[in-house]
Amino acid sequence: MVAVEEADVVVIGSGMGGLAAARAIAQFGKKRVLVLEQHYTLGGMTHEFSRAGRFQFGTGLHYMSASAGPFLEFMTDGRVQLSPLPDDYDVLHFPDFDFAVPATKERFRARLVEQFPAEADAIDDFFRAIRRGMSALAARNVLGSMSAGIRKSGMPVVERLFPLAYRSLQEQVTRSFRDPRLRAVLAARWGLYGTPPSSSAFGYHAAVPLTFFMAGTAHPVGGPKELGRIVLEILQRYGVELRPRQRVAEVVLDRGKVTGVDVEDTTSGRCYRVRTGTVVSAAGVRNTYALIGRGQELADFPEEPSAVMLFLGMERSPAEFGVRGENHWFMPDIDDHEGFHRPPGEGTLYVSFASLNNPAARHHTVEALELVDPRVVDQWRGMPEGERPESYRELKEQLTERLISRLEDRWPGFRQSIAFAELATPLSFETYQHSVLGSFYGLAATPQRLRSPRAGCRTPVKGLFVAGQDAWGSGVVGALAGGLMAANAVLKSRQLGAMWRTVLAGGPPRDPAEPWQGYLRVAEVEALTPTVRRIRLEPLDGPEMPFSFAAGQYVKVDVPVAVEPVERSYSICSGPGQKAFAEIAVKHEPDGLGSGFLHDELAVGQALRVSGPHGEFSWDPGATDGTLLLIAGGVGITPLMSVLIAAADAGHTGRIVLLASFRADDEVVFRPEIEALRSRLPGIEVAIVVTGRQGRIGTETLRPYAGASRVHLCGPAPMMQDVIGHLTELGVPRTAIRTEAFVSGRSKETRREKSHAIALAAAADGITAFTIGMPDGAAAFRCRPGQSVLDAANLADVPLPQSCGEGACGTCRVQVLTGAYETDTRGMFSAGELAAGWRLACQTLPTEDLTITV
């Protein structure tokens, strides 16, 4: 018997259109939404792939409007960061002349008039036509989300009001201009939506290259995958369930209404049905109609183009060839209206340089795309990838050589700079995008599409809707708009007002209580000692940092050591009063992945993904009446420097004692900065202990400061454990001692390994959960084998003290009274406290039932 599940709404496909519909329906309709994706990676054409262990390639998003716009701001909660392309963002190469398309309508018009002065009035008329064409497309697409009666009466009105939108692009430019070169310039870039000028509707051309990109263009910082990552993270917050590797075999109907979908999990082979009355398909109109057995109804639609795309990894920066990050379009003819009459590899070629426009990119890449007739690979269609004959490989080699030769003709020496090359064909897009015949942009952008009731988000089946490019237009943002149109059709009228007010307002303001996440630019790298570097991070744009922090807090940095980054935590050493930048200090650890990269490979100008601030190891200048005792071991002085700077900036006059230990004189960090602070802090006392000749900080060293009202301690775990014991022995209350530990990536890996081993052992014994009891009257809660006490408590809504969740801050202290477990104490406790059972809840993994107290 086939398993049956239920969902309020099923979304087919996790491209931007499907995700936009899923979010809007979940957020404003309060529905349980299930997203089914046939690919192993979620995010549609925002996903990336890697090759040769270093090159990252996007699959569909090459550039977008420099203004994120309210739709994208909404989908990313205002978190998307864009890196602008040069002002001349598209350079058009014709056989006898070039034309650089500048950002802004005013500059574009001025350049056109400068080069074609005899057509100045016609150019102004054409810009007015662009506005009408864009208005027509928007009106038509919004009407497409309305009920059948409104669509039937409204669609003809749009064509009567805006007939130019329904003309071919070729007809519109021929009507508008006499100069064939001017016609060529303004008809170029049809590759952004895929239908050549002889066939394409002017409305699509007015919308995509001539409106969406008019203000300039940009590339997502962090690459397309960063856009997808943000969106997927937000969807999970709204309870949207996302399942990759799920092939929808059929949309199940009963008397013309949707009742469910039949699905195959391609990983396990399990087949199941999801009962639902609403399905939103972001798989394209052709695939959607095929899922209800009505694919033949689209037989009269013209075929859509596919593409060949060449992915190149470079040993040298493209900037060495004079490229600044602009796109280049190579047109073989001035009158290229038919589009696909030339052999593959010789048609209109688009070339982009993502690595020059992504400050987070480590290695340089180039992508070259040519739209082609999908029939060029018909003879190999249907063959499994590993069984295609030598002739297919030969075709790919010929096309690769043809395209590289064109690049070499433009930039001599380019060929020798290529370290890696791979060609995608229509079969690649058919496999990974699951589009019909590898269609790159969905339905052809023709007048027929504008007039057809089947090209939009509504279908003849009750409960079945279409999202994505076919519901609005080409590209990631066009697909996003199509998803919102689908939501517009699904949601009730009382929900739509809230949706559109929220969408048009863009992203919500950031909650200052939540850590900021995004990219910061490396502004400066300075060696403080042979093993410690100070790294200054500044905002990508604007004069101020995107977050504020308290003295003593830290940031998490995604260090790009390989294809997948590793996360590391680093304390901030600059003062919280500095708004233009934040600084961290990093010690180079032997065999340390993160610190090794930051010391040996990090370059000024590179962008790093950062989240913060984090941690409770903080100090407010008004928080201490008595002596503030700061104790550091080695680079553990980093957060304490922020405390000292904050105290100096606040004019603090109270007693501050800094005890800092280092193994050798040449390892003393921040010596000049400490000396400079002496003149600003009248109550400061500084003692530098060089353990190589003076020994470690012991009880006698600490005795003069036993009356301190507050202690901040940071350093290696053994040193911290000893010092906590000495302070306890001297009568310093445990509540007065704040601690912060070093957290390495290896310690996280160790916890994961322990977690996995515990889970396997429990499964072998038939154990599905341990019980965590609390003798103070609180209800017991379940803990899955391999889960930490803190994670289990959070899942059960049992309040435990916590902050960082990774063992750096020492906030989640619990006392284990009975039971066995694996743990890492991180040096947060004295020997006496360890003997009494004090542990960190975030690091404690039960291996049997436990009893704990706080």
Side-chain angles (χ1 to χ4, degrees):
M1 178 178 288
V2 175
V4 177
E5 302 180 17
E6 292 190 358
D8 294 334
V9 178
V10 169
V11 174
I12 303 172
S14 70
M16 196 56 65
L19 298 182
R23 173 175 176 176
I25 293 168
Q27 181 176 351
F28 301 104
K30 310 300 181 186
K31 300 294 187 182
R32 294 178 297 119
V33 180
L34 171 64
V35 177
L36 302 172
E37 168 58 51
Q38 60 90 26
H39 193 26
Y40 55 78
T41 301
L42 298 164
M45 299 303 274
T46 65
H47 102 266
E48 299 180 19
F49 67 94
S50 63
R51 290 291 186 268
R54 53 176 172 153
F55 300 115
Q56 288 281 128
F57 297 103
T59 53
L61 196 166
H62 297 98
Y63 66 142
M64 58 203 311
S65 172
S67 169
F71 289 3
L72 193 60
E73 289 283 342
F74 162 72
M75 276 304 290
T76 63
D77 281 357
R79 289 165 50 187
V80 64
Q81 293 173 279
L82 299 178
S83 176
L85 270 69
D87 281 345
D88 288 351
Y89 61 88
D90 273 334
V91 179
L92 314 178
H93 303 285
F94 297 95
D96 299 318
F97 74 103
D98 295 340
F99 185 92
V101 179
T104 78
K105 172 186 171 182
E106 294 73 22
R107 293 183 61 219
F108 189 20
R109 178 199 171 278
R111 186 165 295 174
L112 288 169
V113 170
E114 177 187 358
Q115 296 198 22
F116 306 98
E119 305 246 33
D121 291 341
I123 289 169
D124 288 336
D125 289 342
F126 190 77
F127 273 84
R128 286 188 284 271
I130 290 170
R131 288 198 302 272
R132 294 196 298 274
M134 176 62 205
S135 298
L137 184 68
R140 183 264 174 210
N141 286 341
V142 171
L143 278 172
S145 70
M146 303 295 184
S147 63
I150 296 176
R151 296 200 310 275
K152 185 175 181 179
S153 60
M155 291 291 196
V157 173
V158 174
E159 184 168 3
R160 284 199 300 271
L161 291 174
F162 304 102
L164 82 174
Y166 292 73
R167 295 174 189 151
S168 73
L169 171 59
Q170 180 180 355
E171 179 184 355
Q172 184 60 41
V173 296
T174 301
R175 284 184 177 215
S176 299
F177 307 111
R178 297 185 303 275
D179 192 318
R181 296 188 307 153
L182 179 55
R183 293 174 185 171
V185 167
L186 288 169
R189 299 185 293 161
W190 57 267
L192 291 169
Y193 55 89
T195 306
S198 61
S199 306
S200 61
F202 176 65
Y204 289 105
H205 196 76
V208 183
L210 298 181
T211 297
F212 293 163
F213 293 157
M214 188 71 81
T217 59
H219 189 274
V221 178
K225 71 176 184 302
E226 179 66 9
L227 179 59
R229 187 196 65 76
I230 293 171
V231 170
L232 292 169
E233 179 185 297
I234 293 170
L235 258 67
Q236 291 175 334
R237 194 171 71 227
Y238 286 104
V240 175
E241 184 179 355
L242 300 147
R243 295 183 190 172
R245 300 179 188 270
Q246 308 297 306
R247 187 183 68 84
V248 175
E250 181 181 358
V251 175
V252 183
L253 308 180
D254 183 15
R255 288 174 288 186
K257 294 166 46 176
V258 168
T259 59
V261 292
D262 285 340
V263 189
E264 179 192 2
D265 183 327
T266 56
T267 300
S268 65
R270 182 177 77 96
C271 295
Y272 60 99
R273 174 169 292 183
V274 182
R275 288 183 184 147
T276 183
T278 304
V279 171
V280 176
S281 173
V285 165
R286 289 191 187 276
N287 280 328
T288 302
Y289 274 67
L291 289 172
I292 58 173
R294 297 171 64 169
Q296 72 281 357
E297 294 183 18
L298 301 174
D300 59 335
F301 273 63
E303 279 190 353
E304 300 83 30
S306 185
V308 292
M309 189 182 299
L310 180 62
F311 301 96
L312 299 174
M314 307 294 290
E315 293 288 7
R316 296 165 59 192
S317 169
E320 296 183 30
F321 298 97
V323 178
R324 297 179 301 126
E326 71 279 1
N327 304 301
H328 288 258
W329 296 79
F330 296 90
M331 272 66 67
D333 302 305
I334 194 172
D335 187 14
D336 188 25
H337 294 311
E338 297 303 323
F340 309 120
H341 60 283
R342 288 176 171 269
E346 298 179 12
T348 295
L349 181 66
Y350 164 78
V351 186
S352 69
F353 303 87
S355 59
L356 292 180
N357 299 309
N358 176 13
R362 288 187 59 205
H363 302 283
H364 285 291
T365 57
V366 177
E367 293 163 21
L369 181 146
E370 180 183 329
L371 296 172
V372 298
D373 186 327
R375 287 172 293 188
V376 300
V377 292
D378 267 359
Q379 61 180 297
W380 304 287
R381 184 163 276 117
M383 297 181 182
E385 184 175 0
E387 298 177 16
R388 292 171 191 153
E390 183 69 14
S391 56
Y392 179 69
R393 185 186 65 79
E394 290 173 353
L395 172 75
K396 293 181 67 173
E397 289 179 352
Q398 292 167 6
L399 289 176
T400 298
E401 173 58 29
R402 213 172 288 169
L403 295 176
I404 290 176
S405 294
R406 294 177 70 178
L407 300 179
E408 177 71 17
D409 289 343
R410 178 67 192 182
W411 298 292
F414 195 91
R415 183 191 300 274
Q416 284 69 36
S417 302
I418 297 172
F420 170 85
E422 181 174 320
L423 185 82
T425 74
L427 298 182
S428 309
F429 295 108
E430 188 173 342
T431 298
Y432 294 106
Q433 193 177 330
H434 198 57
S435 55
V436 176
L437 301 182
S439 166
F440 199 70
Y441 285 123
L443 292 175
T446 61
Q448 179 185 355
R449 172 177 169 179
L450 285 179
R451 296 185 180 105
S452 174
R454 295 189 294 274
C457 64
R458 293 275 187 172
T459 73
V461 175
K462 186 175 181 180
L464 178 61
F465 306 88
V466 173
Q469 295 186 115
D470 286 349
W472 187 277
S474 65
V476 168
V477 177
L480 192 166
L484 294 177
M485 288 300 102
N488 194 69
V490 170
L491 293 173
K492 300 182 184 303
S493 57
R494 67 176 182 273
Q495 298 163 337
L496 290 175
M499 183 186 96
W500 286 114
R501 283 193 299 273
T502 303
V503 169
L504 295 176
R510 188 178 78 85
D511 182 354
E514 292 294 320
W516 177 85
Q517 299 179 58
Y519 283 85
L520 298 174
R521 179 181 287 107
V522 177
E524 186 178 316
V525 180
E526 177 188 4
L528 300 180
T529 73
T531 59
V532 177
R533 286 192 169 191
R534 176 165 52 196
I535 299 169
R536 176 172 294 183
L537 303 171
E538 65 179 12
L540 292 178
D541 49 41
E544 292 193 0
M545 290 288 289
F547 61 88
S548 57
F549 60 92
Q553 289 190 296
Y554 65 93
V555 294
K556 296 179 181 179
V557 179
D558 281 354
V559 185
V561 296
V563 172
E564 290 298 323
V566 296
E567 184 184 87
R568 296 291 185 263
S569 299
Y570 297 109
S571 294
I572 302 171
C573 57
S574 52
Q578 175 56 259
K579 302 301 182 185
F581 58 82
E583 294 177 328
I584 59 176
V586 179
K587 181 181 180 182
H588 193 176
E589 300 291 346
D591 301 320
L593 276 177
S595 64
F597 173 85
L598 295 176
H599 273 252
D600 300 334
E601 298 185 52
L602 184 68
V604 170
Q606 185 172 349
L608 295 175
R609 189 169 183 278
V610 174
S611 73
H614 300 276
E616 301 295 326
F617 188 70
S618 55
W619 178 79
D620 186 319
T624 306
D625 293 328
T627 299
L628 173 63
L629 176 58
L630 308 176
I631 307 173
V635 78
I637 195 175
T638 301
L640 305 185
M641 287 303 300
S642 184
V643 170
L644 290 173
I645 295 170
D649 289 346
H652 187 76
T653 58
R655 188 186 187 208
I656 300 178
V657 176
L658 173 65
L659 294 179
S661 66
F662 302 91
R663 288 182 298 184
D665 285 302
D666 65 351
E667 293 186 10
V668 177
V669 188
F670 298 115
R671 194 191 295 271
E673 290 82 357
I674 293 169
E675 289 304 313
L677 284 168
R678 288 180 186 269
S679 63
R680 300 182 63 201
L681 292 169
I684 193 170
E685 301 175 28
V686 178
I688 303 295
V689 178
V690 178
T691 58
R693 64 170 186 271
Q694 296 170 274
R696 294 183 176 182
I697 295 175
T699 304
E700 293 309 310
T701 309
L702 295 167
R703 191 179 301 279
Y705 316 113
S709 58
R710 185 178 178 113
V711 179
H712 280 236
L713 168 63
C714 183
M719 173 262 191
M720 289 175 58
Q721 180 176 327
D722 289 346
V723 170
I724 292 172
H726 299 326
L727 291 170
T728 303
E729 181 183 334
L730 291 169
V732 178
R734 187 62 177 84
T735 55
I737 305 172
R738 274 40 173 207
T739 54
E740 181 156 272
F742 300 157
V743 177
S744 72
R746 180 57 194 158
S747 63
K748 292 182 181 180
E749 288 299 319
T750 300
R751 188 177 69 179
R752 292 192 189 101
E753 292 164 2
K754 289 179 180 177
S755 172
H756 185 60
I758 290 169
L760 289 176
D765 293 337
I767 299 171
T768 58
F770 302 118
T771 299
I772 312 297
M774 303 181 71
D776 50 7
F781 57 94
R782 289 165 54 87
C783 181
R784 175 176 46 79
Q787 193 173 35
S788 73
V789 170
L790 182 62
D791 287 343
N794 288 338
L795 195 62
D797 293 325
V798 175
L800 292 182
Q802 58 189 283
S803 177
C804 72
E806 60 181 24
C809 68
T811 304
C812 60
R813 293 160 47 90
V814 296
Q815 188 176 19
V816 181
L817 303 178
T818 64
Y821 51 87
E822 296 275 358
T823 194
D824 181 349
T825 63
R826 301 290 173 88
M828 293 291 190
F829 306 99
S830 67
E833 288 172 322
L834 290 174
W838 286 99
R839 300 292 185 267
L840 296 175
C842 69
Q843 301 298 310
T844 299
L845 307 171
T847 56
E848 62 183 36
D849 295 346
L850 300 184
T851 304
I852 66 170
T853 188
V854 178

